[in-house]
Amino acid sequence: AGAQRLERARARAVALRMASPSSSLHAAFTKIADLGPCCCQVNAIVKVVSCEVKLQCLGQRQHPRRFVEVLVGDETGTALLRAEHALAGACVVGATIVLRSARVELFDGKLRLELGRWSRLTRVGDAAFSVPPSAVCTDVSATAHAMVAC
């Protein structure tokens, strides 16, 4: 009886995988211009435009927390990425990085990409795209968003 139950569970799992061709085996990559306040689990291939080290002072902590604010972009636009200082080595101007499972946060009403506990930032070889000048591309982090009560 137990073996039959196990076989039926396997058959159901195979049927579910066959029913949904867009399984979680392949990550869907998002363009920067498509980011919005409600996006989560963002995967993107971007280039670093600029990188700046910041300090965050939190209450009674003895040592302030260091992080980097990185302006990243693709051919559709640019956005601000906030990462731990340990990842600053991968965020060199002109480098191509892959973001996995990043989240979108609103900070002072402006959109910002954040790396959480399960997020990954990986430096890869040069990408085929280039980030257009700031006068041409849209900066999604410059757009102000407001919370509206329904």
Side-chain angles (χ1 to χ4, degrees):
Q4 289 175 344
R5 200 173 329 158
L6 182 62
E7 191 60 38
R8 281 190 301 237
R10 284 186 186 147
R12 260 185 272 137
V14 168
L16 285 174
R17 269 190 235 125
M18 298 299 277
S20 62
S22 62
S23 66
S24 62
L25 296 176
H26 303 287
F29 288 94
T30 307
K31 295 292 184 186
I32 296 293
D34 297 334
L35 293 178
C38 59
C39 292
C40 61
Q41 300 291 317
V42 175
N43 298 316
I45 301 172
V46 293
K47 279 195 174 183
V48 176
V49 178
S50 68
C51 183
E52 183 179 345
V53 177
K54 300 272 187 171
L55 290 177
Q56 180 181 19
C57 299
L58 296 172
Q60 300 293 326
R61 284 189 139 182
Q62 302 252 340
H63 303 287
R65 198 167 139 207
R66 295 176 69 184
F67 61 93
V68 290
E69 282 190 348
V70 184
L71 185 64
V72 296
D74 59 13
E75 63 272 7
T76 63
T78 59
L80 197 60
L81 168 71
R82 184 173 181 254
E84 293 290 326
H85 187 262
L87 298 171
C91 300
V92 186
V93 175
T96 303
I97 56 176
V98 176
L99 300 173
R100 296 222 181 236
S101 298
R103 65 177 184 261
V104 173
E105 297 279 332
L106 286 180
F107 181 74
D108 288 338
K110 304 214 176 174
L111 186 132
R112 179 166 70 180
L113 285 167
E114 298 249 348
L115 296 177
R117 172 190 256 175
W118 304 111
S119 302
R120 297 285 176 258
L121 183 143
T122 310
R123 189 172 172 182
V124 294
D126 288 336
F129 65 87
S130 63
V131 181
S134 60
V136 177
C137 70
T138 57
D139 184 7
V140 295
S141 295
T143 306
H145 298 274
M147 300 281 286
V148 178
C150 296

